[in-house]
Amino acid sequence: MPALFSAVAGAAADIMREFPADDRAGSALHALQQLLGLSGLLQAAVSGAERKAAELSASMPEETRHYGAAGPSWMSADDCRAAWQQIAEACLLLRSHLTETSQRLQLAHHVHLPALQHLLSAMRDVITRSSRPPAGVQEEYGRLAAEHGASLLQDAADELDSHRNADWFMQAAAALAAGPTADESSQETLAVVGRLLIWPLEALAQRHHAHELLYNVCELLLTVGLVGRQRLLRWMQQEVQEAHGAVPADSFTFYVMERWRSSGQLTLLMQLGRQGFQQQLQQFLASYPALL
């Protein structure tokens, strides 16, 4: 398996080196097909390895399983991270050379997003499960989430914009507002909406504490009319509940408050006190007595 990841990393690096020298439209499409192939190969290999590992784990004694789970998994190894990062970086390079929205979305859905998901998960594993994580990995983790997340957010915005005038789009907004009470036809519409890029990108931002990305995802969903402000508040409420009210200074909740304060959206900020965030708002405002 390490040899496969090393080979894929080398192939993705070759695409990055060769593509700028041949900037024809056909070259971009060829590079897209190459990246689709490399990504598909790695995703199939990882899925197969995970299934095999699950089968083996089921037959192992509990103590052995616990010992094996103590450190980072094999998918967090240097060669694995390098392969996913090379693919992700190649996507950033290629994206601006793809002239059709459908081409960019194909790249985003099937190559860029999976590569970023695997890469960030591997880095998170190294950070949280290593006794001594490599120097700089925490900063690189945040940088990659922000940089690649911003590119994927633009793709998600283009995808939403391309569907904005479709009948099912507004039906989806109504179905999302109805929640579990939506009828069967609305459920079918929700299934279509559920395949949009914006949802896995939102999940990625939340999982990896990419606060700016998560905020911008929620703002985009609000702007296109697919969900309301409650979407952002839901993430804040979940965070507060998980922390039993004592959210840390670098939390998403305080990020939102600072974002609204610094942008002059003081009405939204002060309304949080009546929306279940009184304790957190008082803590935040203690640093800004002029707002009290």
Side-chain angles (χ1 to χ4, degrees):
M1 190 68 77
L4 172 62
F5 278 92
S6 295
V8 168
D14 288 341
I15 293 172
M16 293 179 67
R17 281 193 297 269
E18 295 169 4
F19 179 69
D22 188 2
D23 198 16
R24 296 170 299 179
S27 175
L29 291 178
H30 179 63
L32 172 60
Q33 293 304 315
Q34 287 180 300
L35 287 175
L36 285 166
L38 292 174
S39 178
L41 179 64
L42 280 194
Q43 290 181 64
V46 168
S47 296
E50 287 178 333
R51 285 195 299 271
K52 187 64 176 177
E55 293 171 3
L56 292 172
S57 178
S59 63
M60 291 179 180
E62 178 65 28
E63 183 179 347
T64 304
R65 288 201 300 270
H66 178 74
Y67 178 79
S73 74
W74 65 270
M75 286 185 288
S76 304
D78 291 347
D79 49 7
C80 298
R81 300 201 311 273
W84 291 121
Q85 185 164 353
Q86 286 287 4
I87 289 176
E89 297 294 349
C91 288
L92 280 184
L93 175 65
L94 177 59
R95 182 188 178 279
S96 62
H97 297 277
L98 294 171
T99 58
E100 300 293 332
T101 299
S102 60
Q103 296 167 356
R104 294 193 296 272
L105 289 176
Q106 187 179 23
L107 181 72
H109 275 279
H110 301 294
V111 186
H112 200 177
L113 177 65
L116 187 60
Q117 288 171 327
H118 283 287
L119 175 60
L120 293 181
S121 292
M123 297 184 77
R124 183 174 183 264
D125 198 39
V126 169
I127 292 167
T128 59
R129 296 173 67 180
S130 297
S131 58
R132 187 177 297 175
V137 69
Q138 181 74 56
E139 293 74 15
E140 183 73 352
Y141 174 64
R143 183 191 70 79
L144 289 169
E147 182 179 5
H148 290 269
S151 176
L152 285 164
L153 182 64
Q154 183 57 60
D155 292 323
D158 291 343
E159 184 176 46
L160 287 167
D161 189 60
S162 69
H163 295 305
R164 202 168 179 178
N165 295 323
D167 292 338
W168 61 262
F169 192 85
M170 287 299 101
Q171 293 169 3
L176 285 167
T181 63
D183 58 28
E184 185 175 346
S185 63
S186 296
Q187 292 295 338
E188 294 175 359
T189 301
L190 287 175
V192 175
V193 174
R195 292 192 286 271
L196 294 173
L197 180 65
I198 193 71
W199 307 118
L201 185 59
E202 179 187 44
L204 179 144
Q206 192 274 335
R207 174 175 173 76
H208 297 288
H209 305 289
H211 297 337
E212 182 178 6
L213 178 60
L214 182 57
Y215 180 92
N216 289 338
V217 164
C218 292
E219 286 296 295
L220 175 58
L221 288 167
L222 177 66
T223 300
V224 300
L226 205 50
V227 299
R229 181 75 65 189
Q230 191 60 36
R231 186 81 181 184
L232 182 144
L233 296 178
R234 190 195 75 176
W235 289 120
M236 295 169 64
Q237 289 162 352
Q238 177 178 314
E239 183 178 62
V240 169
Q241 290 169 2
E242 291 175 351
H244 303 289
V247 292
D250 62 350
S251 66
F252 181 63
T253 299
F254 287 137
Y255 173 85
V256 172
M257 291 180 182
E258 175 55 26
R259 183 96 176 228
W260 285 347
R261 185 204 66 81
S262 61
S263 61
Q265 299 180 79
L266 300 183
T267 300
L268 288 175
L269 176 63
M270 295 307 181
Q271 284 175 347
L272 289 173
R274 299 192 299 273
Q275 294 170 326
F277 302 97
Q278 183 64 39
Q279 175 187 337
Q280 293 75 35
L281 182 60
Q282 287 179 343
Q283 183 179 346
F284 176 78
L285 292 177
S287 299
Y288 303 99
L291 296 178
L292 294 173

